[in-house]
Each structure stands twice: as C-alpha cells, then as structure tokens.
Amino acid sequence: MKTLYVKFVVLTIGMMFISFIFSFILSNAYYQQKLKPYNDSKNTKVALDIASFVEQHPQISLADYLKSISEVGYQICLVDEHGKRSFFGKSFRDKSLPLSIQEDVLGGRVFHGMLLFPQETFVTGFFADELKNTIGVPLKADGRSFALFIRPDIKFLFNEMHILFGWIFVIAITLTIIMVLIYTKYLVKPISTLTKATKSLANGDFNVEMEITRHDELGELSHSFLWMAKKLSQMDEMRKEFISNISHDIQSPLSNIKGYTSLLESEAISQEERIQYVSTINGEIRRLSTLTKQLLLLASLDRNEDMMKKKRYNAGQQLKELVRNYQWIVGEKEIMLSYSLPDIEIIGDPSLLNTVWDNLLSNAIKYNKPNGSIEISMEERADIVLVTFADTGIGMKNSEVDRIFERFYRADMARTRTVDGTGLGLSIAKTIVDLHGGHINVKSIENEGTAFIVELPKK
Ligand code: ADP
C-alpha cells in the first residue's frame, strides 16, 4: 500500500539522491572550469622546478632524487631518449601514453595532460590515476635528454581525508535515513488517528477522543476536528430533542381534540358544556396551526433560502401599527403601554421583522403582571438602530435567560403554564435578527421585568 509514510520516506531519500547527483554535476563542472587549469599550472610549476633543480645540481643521482620526490606524494614516470620508462612511487593504474607525446616532451615541449584530460559527467578527472593525466616536462641530466611525467599521488596525499570524509558521508546519510524513518512516523501518526476518528464519526459515534500534544498545523487540525465532532454531537442531540418536542407538541393537542370530540358525541351534555368543549377544540386547533406555521418558517429560515425581501422602510411606523393591533388585549389585561417610536427608516424584510416585533410584544403582554407596564422605544445610533421592549412582568432567572433562544424552550412551567405558547417564537426572532446581521440582547430580573433589545445595522 502506498501509504503517506512510505511516500514521504521514498520522496525524502529520493530527494537526497537527486541533490547528491545534482551537486556532484555542479562541483564537477566547477572543477572542469576553474580548478582543472589551476591544478594543471600548479603541477606544471612543480615539474619544471624538479627539472631545473636536476639541471642545476648535476652531482646528485637522478634516480635517488626522483625516488625521494615520489616519497613525498608524487607518481613519476621518467622516459629516456630511447623510450625506456622508469617509474617512481605508486604505479599508474593506466600506463598508456601515445609515443608522439613522449617524443614531443623529449623534444622540449611541455605536456599538459591534466588540462587536456577528457571531461566526463560522472567522473572527476582529478582522481584519474592514469599516465595520460600527468604533466610532462623535458629534463636534461648527465648530458642526456629525458621526459619527466608527474602527477600528485592522490591516494597518498588524501588517504586519511578520504576515509574521514567517507565516514562523515556514510554516517550522515545513514543517520538522515534513520531520522526520516522515525520522524515521518511521528509526523504521520496524527493523520492515522484522525482517519480512525473520522471513520468512527461517520458511523455515528460522536465521542471521539484524541490526545493532542502538537502545536503545529496537524495539532490545529486535530483541535478543529474535535470541535467539529462536538458541534456535530450537539446538533445530533438537538435534532433528536427537536423531533421529540415536535412529536409531543403535536400529539398533546391531537389527543385533547380526540378526547373532546368523543365527549361532544355524547348526548348527555349540556349546551354550556358543548360550547366550552368546542372552544377548547378550537384553541387546540389554533395552537396546532401556530405550531405548524412557526415550524414552516423555521424550516425555511434554516434552509437559508433567499427568502429575505429586503427594502428600506419606516420601522417606527410599522411598530406603531403593531401597537394599535394589540391595543385591545393590552387594555383587557390592564397593562400600561407607552412608546417612543420616531420615524426611523431601516433596511430589512418588513414581514420577517414584523414577526420579531410581534413575538416580543406578545411575550411582553403574555408574561406581564396585572397593572404592569410595557415600554417600547426605538432610537438611532451611529450605524445601528436599537429597538427595546421593556416590561414589568414575571422576569426570568439567569439560567432561564441563557436558554430562551433554544427551540421549544419554555422557562419555569409553573409560572408560564397558564400562558399559551410553543417555545419557538424567540428562536425564530433570533434567527431573523441574525439573518439581518443584528443581535438580540436580554436583560431580565425575576419578578421585576424583562427588556429585549434588538440591535439592527443601518446598512
Ligand atoms: P413562547 O411561545 O413560550 O412564548 P418564546 O420562544 O417566545 O416561546 O419564549 C420562550 C420562553 O422565554 C417563554 O416560554 C418564556 O418562559 C420566556 N420569555 C419570553 N419572553 C419573556 C418575557 N417578556 N418575560 C418573561 N419571560 C419571557
């Protein structure tokens, strides 16, 4: 299997080899262009010095002198005028040398074998242990002519360095490969863990646990994954709760309707009872109708359909109209309603925002106390418009405030059970305000009152 681990290891080692070959070619080119001429002239000078020393000191033995030179690290070939060769020092691996070159040097010409040595891509001429890779100079001794060919004994001069560099190279490569093998395992491990976690998540197990010790991109990815798993788990919980709430909220009015219709079938009930039962049935039908309308609205808001029809309109006017519609019920409940609603234009969907205002005002009435009051105000700030619904009603505990925007949540049933509601109004209101790019804030004190502050951006 071509795992990420194998790929990474192969790629790293491959890259090492490619860089090695590339750097070899580059340094070889550098040798051919720059070092070769330098090496040639340096060795030409050495060969000429040897030749002139021999000529200036006729008393010394040529053979002894060349032998001692070879002992300090040179390979030497001496050719006499008859073409007889004598070698000093380490012998050449390849002793072939065209006769014409020998004759040229005997005739007094200098042979630049090092400079002329053919260039090959993967072999550095510097190391070629061949007679052709030498410097040849003419030499006169005892009145005879010789041709002297020399080249440094690379093995002799560089032996220890060779071994040292060789070891450094081998150790470095081996260590790098071992480290790549270990580090890649460490690098790839979180990916394998993540893959396992993804599979268990796909199978519906949201309790993913992962130990995250890293602080790099993979650590960040693991954190995001855990966060995503937590969110998915919450959404799954919410979905289950939502379905069970809907089922319950539909089931209970249906069984009430069923109960009352069977009672209506009985002939032994009075006219008064009949009227009361029919009114209860109507109430339950209204409740079911509100619930389905709210569910439909929530579903389309959730689908984020392009259902918003935004336009610039006078929200102050809209709120005043709403207040007028509620006037009779406010009067009936003996609630004092005051408002400060100047003509302020906003950009938004008038019908959706009306749902928000309707919900906030109806809640302020529903959860108010007899002789309580409601204050609605609207004010314009730099780039927002604030709409406040403040009531002196039953208020809420902090723990309840934290949950009121959850779907189907209804605070303390003991206090609100007499009030009709579905627990969907505020979650719809919040979704609409969010879609408008605004916020809803709540301030509430139990038994004292509640204020909902809607903040809408002007643009
Ligand atoms: P409901 O249909 O129950 O009114 P909402 O989503 O509109 O549903 O409100 C959720 C809950 O928040 C209500 O059941 C109530 O407990 C609480 N609540 C909302 N508005 C007020 C308010 N003005 N005063 C006190 N409690 C409120």
Side-chain angles (χ1 to χ4, degrees):
M1 186 174 61
K2 274 195 178 164
T3 58
L4 191 62
Y5 177 73
V6 175
K7 272 188 193 167
F8 197 85
V9 169
V10 170
L11 213 73
T12 314
I13 296 174
M15 276 191 306
M16 268 166 54
F17 276 106
I18 290 171
S19 1
F20 176 73
I21 292 169
F22 194 67
S23 56
F24 186 87
I25 293 172
L26 273 184
S27 52
N28 197 20
Y30 180 71
Y31 170 78
Q32 299 292 347
Q33 294 304 316
K34 294 268 181 210
L35 293 183
K36 204 155 101 165
Y38 170 75
N39 196 29
D40 182 277
S41 71
K42 190 176 79 180
N43 284 294
T44 306
K45 187 173 175 300
V46 172
L48 289 171
D49 283 351
I50 294 172
S52 77
F53 186 86
V54 171
E55 279 160 27
Q56 283 161 19
H57 300 83
Q59 71 283 6
I60 62 159
S61 148
L62 178 60
D64 287 347
Y65 178 59
L66 292 182
K67 191 166 171 283
S68 62
I69 295 280
S70 73
E71 277 164 6
V72 296
Y74 280 92
Q75 291 169 274
I76 300 174
C77 171
L78 186 72
V79 184
D80 67 13
E81 58 257 85
H82 307 297
K84 187 173 163 282
R85 294 174 176 182
S86 322
F87 290 95
F88 302 87
K90 186 179 157 283
S91 75
F92 292 92
R93 187 180 56 77
D94 180 350
K95 292 181 182 146
S96 62
L97 186 73
L99 269 176
S100 58
I101 294 176
Q102 266 177 224
E103 277 158 17
D104 274 359
V105 177
L106 280 168
R109 293 255 283 278
V110 175
F111 167 63
H112 292 279
M114 288 184 176
L115 193 64
L116 301 173
F117 198 76
Q119 174 177 340
E120 283 177 47
T121 317
F122 289 106
V123 182
T124 302
F126 182 72
F127 296 104
D129 181 11
E130 297 177 27
L131 192 51
K132 284 194 289 290
N133 193 17
T134 55
I135 298 292
V137 292
L139 183 148
K140 293 235 180 310
D142 302 333
R144 293 170 63 195
S145 292
F146 293 94
L148 173 74
F149 295 91
I150 68 158
R151 63 172 264 104
D153 182 351
I154 303 294
K155 212 163 178 196
F156 176 84
L157 291 176
F158 290 97
N159 207 13
E160 298 80 6
M161 292 300 270
H162 261 155
I163 295 170
L164 196 69
F165 280 124
W167 274 114
I168 291 176
F169 186 72
V170 171
I171 292 171
I173 296 264
T174 319
L175 279 182
T176 311
I177 292 176
I178 292 173
M179 282 191 290
V180 164
L181 287 171
I182 296 172
Y183 183 70
T184 310
K185 238 199 165 71
Y186 168 75
L187 202 73
V188 167
K189 202 174 157 223
I191 299 179
S192 318
T193 319
L194 269 174
T195 313
K196 238 189 251 162
T198 317
K199 281 182 188 155
S200 78
L201 198 71
N203 289 330
D205 177 12
F206 296 103
N207 292 322
V208 190
E209 270 180 30
M210 268 192 294
E211 201 191 329
I212 306 169
T213 47
R214 297 168 61 144
H215 304 286
D216 55 7
E217 285 85 346
L218 280 175
E220 212 171 291
L221 178 68
S222 308
H223 276 297
S224 309
F225 183 84
L226 280 185
W227 184 80
M228 184 187 79
K230 200 173 134 202
K231 281 272 147 197
L232 282 175
S233 156
Q234 281 173 357
M235 276 166 68
D236 191 56
E237 273 306 309
M238 271 168 65
R239 187 181 57 86
K240 286 180 188 150
E241 208 181 299
F242 189 65
I243 292 173
S244 94
N245 280 331
I246 294 179
S247 318
H248 173 265
D249 277 40
I250 290 176
Q251 191 53 45
S252 68
L254 280 179
S255 35
N256 280 348
I257 292 171
K258 190 167 175 275
Y260 283 107
T261 43
S262 356
L263 282 176
L264 279 176
E265 276 168 7
S266 152
E267 286 181 6
I269 54 166
S270 66
Q271 184 62 16
E272 239 172 65
E273 282 171 323
R274 193 177 299 276
I275 292 169
Q276 196 201 325
Y277 294 165
V278 168
S279 141
T280 311
I281 290 172
N282 275 334
E284 293 294 24
I285 290 173
R286 243 193 337 271
R287 199 172 130 72
L288 271 178
S289 159
T290 315
L291 181 70
T292 44
K293 268 188 215 150
Q294 285 184 320
L295 282 173
L296 274 174
L297 181 59
L298 258 183
S300 47
L301 288 173
D302 276 352
R303 260 183 271 133
N304 233 343
E305 276 171 8
D306 215 3
M307 62 173 303
M308 293 232 288
K309 292 180 184 68
K310 279 192 183 180
K311 65 172 189 185
R312 178 180 287 278
Y313 75 100
N314 189 331
Q317 201 65 42
Q318 181 184 39
L319 278 158
K320 270 189 251 174
E321 217 159 281
L322 184 77
V323 169
R324 256 198 303 280
N325 291 344
Y326 274 94
Q327 209 73 56
W328 65 273
I329 187 163
V330 170
E332 202 174 59
K333 291 206 167 192
E334 294 176 353
I335 293 170
M336 261 271 296
L337 198 153
S338 58
Y339 57 82
S340 151
L341 298 168
D343 285 341
I344 296 175
E345 294 211 322
I346 59 168
I347 297 172
D349 183 315
S351 151
L352 289 179
L353 285 176
N354 200 54
T355 311
V356 176
W357 315 141
D358 192 300
N359 179 258
L360 296 179
L361 180 55
S362 65
N363 278 354
I365 298 168
K366 275 197 298 191
Y367 304 110
N368 220 314
K369 293 180 199 159
N371 299 317
S373 65
I374 297 173
E375 211 179 300
I376 308 172
S377 67
M378 189 175 190
E379 56 180 300
E380 210 169 357
R381 298 264 170 93
D383 30 52
I384 52 165
V385 172
L386 289 179
V387 183
T388 309
F389 291 80
D391 64 59
T392 55
I394 58 172
M396 285 174 277
K397 296 184 192 127
N398 283 346
S399 57
E400 293 169 339
V401 172
D402 291 342
R403 301 195 55 195
I404 50 170
F405 295 109
E406 286 174 20
R407 291 174 186 188
F408 291 107
Y409 179 76
R410 305 198 67 206
D412 192 356
M413 293 308 262
R415 293 187 300 137
T416 57
R417 70 173 167 215
T418 48
V419 185
D420 203 20
T422 58
L424 287 174
L426 281 180
S427 74
I428 292 177
K430 184 171 164 30
T431 313
I432 294 173
V433 173
D434 284 348
L435 282 175
H436 280 80
H439 303 282
I440 296 194
N441 298 310
V442 194
K443 285 179 194 155
S444 188
I445 301 174
E446 203 179 0
N447 291 322
E448 284 192 23
T450 307
F452 282 89
I453 304 125
V454 179
E455 205 179 292
L456 288 173
K458 270 191 191 166
K459 285 181 186 149

